[in-house]
């Protein structure tokens, strides 16, 4: 009891009445008595928090690499993330601790390892032979001293210097990595030990007297395909050097006036090609350094006078790939003419005399040509090009005419339009995913390459989760995507375009002046989905609600069903000290005449525009022509809020749909409206204050008289006849009066931030409404004080939660009945009774009677979520009807319709039971959670979730045949509480609220799953279930699989005889410590990583992992023994041959004298 009072003091309450203390004491006693009635199976050991998988396109990509043997693709980002892709369904996410940009990636081909170079001058070696890759070694370089006064001045001025590492090259089947630097030097790293060699190529030695100035950073390093002892070094200034590693000097130097961006070899090692900043390509013969063999300007206009073509944009990268049968491929990015203003980025493919220009949707970050062989000294046989764009990944088929693209099997188009909301559903009905897939399969585009996806490495993990999971994303263009998220994968099922119901303006000039947003007027804000009936309801940013029904048949709708709702209410704010200083702008929650209209039946309502104010006009115009609707989700009804006396409709803040009742309800900061979507009528249209009636605890009164409203069962007389406000234990301590001046400036700033974060759960309001938001920020901060006298505060009370259910609405009820529970931003819960007619034809002809019950419950903070438990502690789902095909003849399904339309409601307790607590209401607000027994309405359990922060998302979810409350707070904590006792089970600091996108998209679901949008392009899934964490290792796919390295190209008899083949190099002899000495310790620091042998053992889980590693080790050992056996046999054959030749020579000259030679 004392602990409870201390919490109140910390919460800023200065006084606690003796009556509230007594009621609190009785709460504790009742709580103790009730805990033993419902056994709770969930314990703290059932919970553990960990990340599972990340889906979507890597945000801000910066580097690309491909292993041609393992067939694995790696993408690095500007935030230090690594995304690895194998076959569809095999993905992996890794993160560098420093979060520095990844500038280059290099696979150790077919070795199960990857080297990453970062902008913070570090190299990292990743072990890919485990399901969660880890860093084996790191090397931190120290920047070389500044060599110029200019750079020293820049440093002193605070200008950030360019990255130290500029280019890396790892030859195939080599353990020595070449590292080029900004200063122009080249260092060599042993990737096995991750130590520096003493061998260094200094820039001044490389260029000597060929240039009087510094050549610039190293932009390219590669060894000659036919001679590993020759290293080609490209400098940014235009100088290229062919360096002899053995003699430690330059063989040739090639100079060009234009800066170099990239260099590529012909596989025979006699020619190389450079791309330049003026849009030209130069082809050089290695033995003719004086001038290029050929100069090409792919996109330059050829002038008639023989002059040089006009300069073009830089060619950022070029690749030179040869084919055994046919002309070589020259593939490049950039190089377009400067006069092509507005043209999209292009990839150019030059093959013989043909040149194909392939336009891309986004800027090209990097590209790679996929070839049949990993050996650089053989015909490359290119078959595809992987193009990494700023916001997409495209793979082009080079083998087919027209260069079609492959259909991308990865879920990389989540951000096709910006994600504005997200919902996650686990343990869905088994037939739901096949139904969505069947209608979504008809939406697939045509014209893709017929070949299989070329990135096919890795193996799938074992499936231990069998329940279906679906993620729904709402987007800024009004589209909704359904994703199959079962078993830690993600695949798009179906896409719904909600904007096609509206007339689209062709230009900004044609846009109607009723728009309340400048951009994205169709953006999705809230999604409400009934899984069993498949009814879908969405709320958009233009104050519109659309109800959809699922059908497998295509239909054409002649006239789109539509309702317009007039939702506004004015408050007399003359008692508010702030009211006199308020600008004459319209404010949310103020206005007059709540009225629901159908435009056809009330044509005269828009005649009040004599003063020039917009009135009874919706924000969007619905199409008047017939609408063809494909199989899938089809429009049942469109509801729009209208302008009232020049004031725009306010943003919808809550939404709920119930298929069993045929009702949809939505609310905003003005009030709430309920619509019968079967009869297409408005049942309820009340301001928030009208919901209270005479029970309103705040001093508010209407400013203007109410006009007539469509008949509904929600008159004020019904409210007055209800029970009075109960003085029970459910009252929040903040509902009492107190001093309004109990917070300092810091508290005010925190409260303003809290409100902004809270509002981020919805989309940003249009610019016309932003002044209202500022007012609301201030009022919300006051709502967290103990004062309830601010009229300005109460006038902005918004509807924040809605929940249809079948429960006890009043204390005197003996059986549950259909009702709607309404939660507000001031922590009030109100109950509205629904009187539904019988099913069948009567449901379509008789009206639904709606009446407030008078029941009022109070919590601290805005209401977020409500749910109900039965006497066993199990969740009571809302009434719902099973899905049936709606577009069939009425005669056939008339009987089924009458049976299914109105499900039978059975009270969980038998009639002979004397106990009145037949159900428990679980209510979660931004600050606390309460469990209330029904129908007595006694608060039996209460938990203050947070004192200093606030809850962003709270969900009552099912887990391990039980249920719990899961919360995500703005301070980064994820918490779970048992039900009904609200015992804390998990409290982990996970993720601070650094971005409002997280607040808008975070959601919990059943079976311990959760997700949120971690970046504008990626969804992060997490689990808070111990069981899922334990099984995760088995569920993850394997990136590395044992694959035999292809045989090296055959040198041929004559090449072997005359030395025309590839020349090998003993790099160990050159770069080893014995030959080159030790590198300076001040140059780089070696940092051992956590991914060594110990890391592999530590991350292992289960016998399967151990057996897999043992199998891989045995395969590798067998492969090495086989190679050793082959080398031994070759040496033995060579020794026999030498012995025979020696014996023949001896026999030939045995009997000859010395003077006969």
């Amino acid at each position: 009891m004392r602990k409870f009072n201390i919490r109140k003091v910390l919460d800023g309450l200065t006084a606690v009445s003796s009556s509230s203390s007594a009621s609190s004491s009785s709460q504790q006693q009742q709580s103790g008595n009730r805990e033993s009635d419902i056994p709770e199976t969930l314990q703290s050991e059932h919970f553990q928090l960990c990340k599972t998988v990340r889906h979507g396109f890597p945000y801000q990509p910066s580097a690309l690499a491909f292993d041609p043997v393992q067939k694995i693709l790696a993408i690095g980002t500007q935030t230090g993330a690594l995304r690895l892709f194998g076959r569809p369904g095999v993905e992996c996410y890794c993160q560098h601790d420093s979060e520095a940009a990844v500038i280059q990636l290099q696979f150790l081909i077919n070795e199960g390892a990857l080297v990453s170079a970062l902008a913070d001058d570090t190299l990292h070696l990743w072990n890919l032979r485990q399901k969660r890759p880890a860093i084996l070694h790191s090397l931190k370089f120290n920047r070389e001293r500044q060599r110029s006064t200019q750079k020293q001045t820049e440093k002193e001025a605070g200008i950030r210097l360019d990255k130290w590492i500029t280019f890396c090259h790892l030859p195939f089947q080599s353990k020595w990595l070449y590292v080029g630097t900004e200063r122009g030097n080249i260092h060599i790293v042993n990737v096995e030990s991750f130590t520096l060699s003493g061998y260094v190529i200094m820039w001044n030695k490389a260029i000597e007297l060929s240039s009087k100035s510094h050549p610039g950073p190293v932009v390219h390093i590669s060894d000659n395909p036919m001679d590993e002892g020759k290293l080609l070094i490209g400098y940014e200034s235009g100088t290229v050097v062919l360096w002899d590693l053995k003699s430690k000097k330059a063989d040739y130097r090639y100079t060009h006036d234009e800066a170099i961006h990239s260099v590529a070899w012909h596989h025979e090692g006699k020619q190389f090609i450079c791309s330049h900043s003026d849009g030209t390509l130069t082809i050089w013969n290695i033995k003719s350094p004086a001038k290029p063999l050929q100069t090409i300007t792919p996109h330059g206009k050829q002038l008639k006078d023989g002059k040089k073509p006009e300069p073009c944009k830089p060619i950022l990268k070029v690749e030179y790939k040869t084919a055994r049968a046919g002309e070589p491929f020259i593939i490049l990015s950039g190089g377009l003419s400067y006069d092509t203003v507005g043209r999209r980025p292009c990839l150019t493919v030059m093959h013989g005399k043909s040149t194909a220009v392939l336009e891309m949707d986004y800027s090209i970050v990097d590209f790679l040509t996929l070839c049949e062989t990993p050996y650089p000294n053989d015909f490359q046989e290119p078959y595809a090009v992987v193009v990494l764009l700023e916001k997409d990944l495209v793979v082009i088929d080079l083998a087919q005419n027209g260069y079609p693209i492959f259909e991308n099997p990865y879920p990389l188009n989540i951000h096709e339009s910006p994600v504005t909301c997200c919902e996650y559903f686990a343990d869905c009905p088994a037939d739901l995913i096949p139904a969505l897939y069947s209608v979504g399969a008809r939406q697939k585009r045509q014209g893709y390459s017929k070949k299989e996806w070329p990135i096919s490495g890795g193996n799938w993990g074992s499936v231990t989760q069998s329940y279906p999971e679906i993620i729904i994303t709402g987007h800024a263009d009004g589209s909704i995507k359904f994703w199959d998220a079962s078993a830690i994968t993600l695949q798009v099922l179906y896409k719904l375009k909600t904007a096609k119901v509206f007339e689209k303006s062709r230009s900004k000039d044609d846009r109607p002046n009723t728009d309340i947003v400048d951009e994205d007027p169709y953006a999705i804000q809230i999604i409400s989905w009934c899984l069993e009936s498949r009814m879908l309801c969405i709320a958009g940013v233009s104050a519109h609600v659309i109800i959809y029904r699922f059908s497998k048949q295509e239909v054409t709708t002649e006239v789109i069903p539509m309702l317009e709702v007039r939702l506004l209410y004015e408050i007399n704010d003359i008692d508010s000290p702030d009211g006199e200083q308020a600008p004459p702008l319209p404010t949310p929650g103020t206005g007059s005449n709540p009225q629901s209209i159908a435009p056809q039946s009330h044509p005269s309502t828009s005649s009040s525009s004599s003063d020039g104010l917009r009135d009874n006009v919706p924000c969007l115009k619905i199409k008047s022509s017939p609408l063809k609707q494909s199989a899938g989700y089809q429009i049942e009804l469109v509801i729009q809020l209208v302008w009232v006396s020049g004031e725009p409709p306010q943003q919808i803040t809550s939404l709920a749909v119930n298929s069993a009742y045929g009702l949809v309800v939505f609310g905003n900061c003005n009030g709430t409206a309920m619509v019968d979507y079967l009869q297409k009528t408005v049942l309820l249209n009340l301001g928030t204050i009208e919901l209270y009636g005479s029970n309103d605890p705040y001093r508010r009164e209407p400013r203007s008289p109410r006009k007539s409203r469509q008949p509904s069962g929600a008159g004020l007389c019904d409210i007055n006849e209800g029970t009075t406000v109960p003085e029970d234990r459910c009252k929040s301590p903040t509902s009492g009066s107190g001093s309004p001046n109990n917070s300092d400036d810091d508290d005010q700033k925190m409260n303003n931030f809290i409100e902004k974060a809270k509002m981020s759960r919805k989309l940003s309001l249009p610019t016309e409404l932003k002044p209202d938001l500022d007012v609301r920020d201030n009022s919300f901060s006051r709502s967290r004080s103990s004062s309830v006298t601010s009229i300005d505060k109460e006038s902005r009370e918004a509807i924040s939660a809605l929940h249809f259910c079948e429960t006890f609405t009043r204390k005197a009820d003996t059986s549950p009945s259909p009702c709607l529970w309404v939660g507000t931003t001031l922590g009030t819960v109100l109950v509205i009774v629904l009187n539904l007619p019988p099913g069948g034809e009567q449901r379509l002809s008789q009206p639904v009677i709606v009446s407030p019950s008078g029941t009022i419950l109070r919590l601290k903070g805005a209401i977020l979520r409500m749910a109900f438990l039965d006497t066993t502690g199990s969740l009571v789902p809302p009434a719902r009807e099973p899905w049936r095909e709606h577009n069939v003849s009425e005669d056939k399904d008339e009987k089924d319709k009458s049976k299914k339309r109105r499900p039978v409601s059975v009270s969980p307790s038998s009639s002979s039971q004397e106990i009145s607590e037949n159900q428990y209401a679980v209510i979660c607000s931004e600050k606390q959670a309460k469990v209330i027994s029904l129908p007595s309405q006694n608060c039996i359990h209460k938990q203050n979730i947070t004192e200093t922060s606030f809850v962003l998302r709270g969900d009552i979810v099912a887990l391990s045949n039980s249920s719990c409350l899961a919360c995500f707070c703005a301070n980064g904590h994820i918490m779970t509480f048992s039900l009904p006792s609200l015992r804390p089970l998990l409290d982990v600091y996970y993720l601070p609220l650094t971005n409002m996108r997280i607040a808008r998209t975070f959601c919990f679901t059943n079976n311990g799953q959760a997700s949120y949008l971690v970046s504008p392009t990626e969804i992060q899934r997490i689990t808070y279930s111990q069981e899922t964490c334990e099984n995760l290792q088995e569920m993850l796919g394997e990136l590395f699989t044992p694959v035999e390295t292809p045989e090296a190209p055959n040198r041929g008899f004559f090449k072997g005889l005359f030395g025309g083949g590839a020349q090998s190099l003993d790099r160990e002899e050159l770069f080893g410590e014995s030959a080159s000495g030790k590198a300076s310790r001040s140059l780089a620091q070696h940092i051992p990583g956590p991914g060594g042998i110990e890391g592999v053992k530590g991350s292992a889980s289960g016998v399967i992992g151990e057996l897999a590693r043992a199998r891989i080790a045995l395969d590798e050992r067998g492969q090495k023994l086989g190679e050793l056996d082959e080398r031994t046999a070759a040496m033995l054959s060579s020794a026999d041959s030498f012995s025979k030749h020696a014996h023949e020579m001896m026999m030939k000259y045995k009997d000859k004298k010395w003077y006969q030679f």
Side-chain angles (χ1 to χ4, degrees), residues 503-610:
E503 297 281 0
K504 292 187 178 179
S505 53
R506 297 180 181 178
S507 64
K508 290 185 178 181
D509 298 334
D510 299 335
R511 184 175 294 168
N513 56 5
T514 56
D515 280 7
I516 59 174
V517 286
D518 294 330
E519 296 179 354
D520 304 324
Y522 314 110
I524 306 299
Q525 216 170 334
I526 310 174
I527 298 172
S528 179
W529 193 32
C530 177
L531 298 174
E532 284 73 14
S533 66
R534 304 179 190 173
M535 291 297 297
L536 175 70
C537 190
I538 65 100
V541 73
S542 294
H544 62 278
V545 174
I546 309 178
I547 306 162
Y548 289 91
R549 193 185 292 273
F550 186 84
S551 175
K552 294 183 179 180
Q553 299 181 8
E554 185 179 290
V555 296
T556 300
T557 305
E558 297 295 332
V559 179
I560 298 171
M562 176 186 65
L563 279 177
E564 292 181 357
V565 178
R566 186 182 178 95
L567 186 59
L568 205 72
Y569 196 73
E570 281 196 9
I571 302 303
N572 188 356
D573 56 356
I574 57 174
D575 295 334
S576 173
D578 299 332
E580 297 174 357
Q581 302 171 4
L585 270 170
T587 57
T590 62
S592 63
N593 319 327
Q595 186 177 12
S596 58
I597 61 163
Q600 296 84 355
S601 59
H602 296 271
S604 62
T605 53
S606 60
S607 61
S608 61
S609 59
S610 58

Side-chain angles (χ1 to χ4, degrees), residues 200-212:
V200 182
I201 303 174
M202 305 299 290
W203 67 270
N204 51 355
K205 289 279 189 74
I207 68 167
E208 285 188 349
L209 300 177
S210 62
S211 174
K212 296 180 180 179

Side-chain angles (χ1 to χ4, degrees), residues 828-860:
T828 303
V829 177
L830 303 136
V831 183
I832 297 175
V833 182
L834 309 175
N835 191 352
L836 300 167
E841 289 295 333
Q842 296 182 38
R843 173 64 184 87
L844 299 177
S845 58
Q846 298 182 12
V848 177
I849 307 301
V850 182
S851 59
S853 67
T855 298
I856 298 180
L857 308 172
R858 295 280 299 157
L859 275 76
K860 184 171 63 174

Side-chain angles (χ1 to χ4, degrees), residues 153-165:
T153 306
E154 288 178 353
K155 185 177 181 182
E156 291 172 357
I159 299 174
R160 184 183 178 280
L161 297 173
D162 291 337
K163 51 188 177 288
W164 189 82
I165 299 173

Side-chain angles (χ1 to χ4, degrees), residues 429-662:
D431 60 342
L432 192 53
I433 289 178
L436 290 169
Y437 181 82
S438 64
V439 296
R442 308 174 194 180
Q443 299 177 330
K444 290 192 174 180
R445 290 170 50 193
Q446 304 297 322
Y448 291 111
S449 170
K450 295 182 172 63
K451 292 187 177 181
E452 291 185 3
W453 182 251
I455 305 165
S456 56
N459 284 324
W460 293 301
S462 59
V463 179
T464 58
Q465 289 183 356
S466 57
Y467 53 84
E469 299 173 75
I470 294 176
I471 291 177
I472 303 181
T473 53
H475 300 264
D477 64 351
S479 61
I480 296 174
K481 290 182 182 178
F482 295 79
W483 305 85
D484 179 5
S486 308
I488 68 171
T489 61
L490 196 70
Q491 180 182 6
V492 68
L493 293 171
Y494 171 68
K495 181 179 178 180
L496 171 65
K497 297 180 180 179
T498 67
K500 67 179 182 180
V501 70
F502 300 108
E503 297 281 0
K504 292 187 178 179
S505 53
R506 297 180 181 178
S507 64
K508 290 185 178 181
D509 298 334
D510 299 335
R511 184 175 294 168
N513 56 5
T514 56
D515 280 7
I516 59 174
V517 286
D518 294 330
E519 296 179 354
D520 304 324
Y522 314 110
I524 306 299
Q525 216 170 334
I526 310 174
I527 298 172
S528 179
W529 193 32
C530 177
L531 298 174
E532 284 73 14
S533 66
R534 304 179 190 173
M535 291 297 297
L536 175 70
C537 190
I538 65 100
V541 73
S542 294
H544 62 278
V545 174
I546 309 178
I547 306 162
Y548 289 91
R549 193 185 292 273
F550 186 84
S551 175
K552 294 183 179 180
Q553 299 181 8
E554 185 179 290
V555 296
T556 300
T557 305
E558 297 295 332
V559 179
I560 298 171
M562 176 186 65
L563 279 177
E564 292 181 357
V565 178
R566 186 182 178 95
L567 186 59
L568 205 72
Y569 196 73
E570 281 196 9
I571 302 303
N572 188 356
D573 56 356
I574 57 174
D575 295 334
S576 173
D578 299 332
E580 297 174 357
Q581 302 171 4
L585 270 170
T587 57
T590 62
S592 63
N593 319 327
Q595 186 177 12
S596 58
I597 61 163
Q600 296 84 355
S601 59
H602 296 271
S604 62
T605 53
S606 60
S607 61
S608 61
S609 59
S610 58
D611 54 357
L613 297 177
R614 304 188 192 106
D615 194 55
N616 282 348
V617 183
C619 299
L620 302 174
K621 184 180 179 182
I622 296 178
K623 286 183 178 178
S624 56
S625 57
L627 180 66
K628 183 179 180 181
Q629 302 191 75
S630 305
Y633 274 103
Q634 298 168 355
I635 295 170
E636 177 78 6
L637 179 65
V638 180
I639 307 166
Q640 288 185 283
L641 297 182
V642 296
W643 287 68
V644 179
S645 302
E647 296 185 22
Q650 298 301 300
Q651 167 187 27
I652 293 172
T653 55
S654 56
L655 176 71
V657 65
N658 188 282
S659 58
Y661 306 155

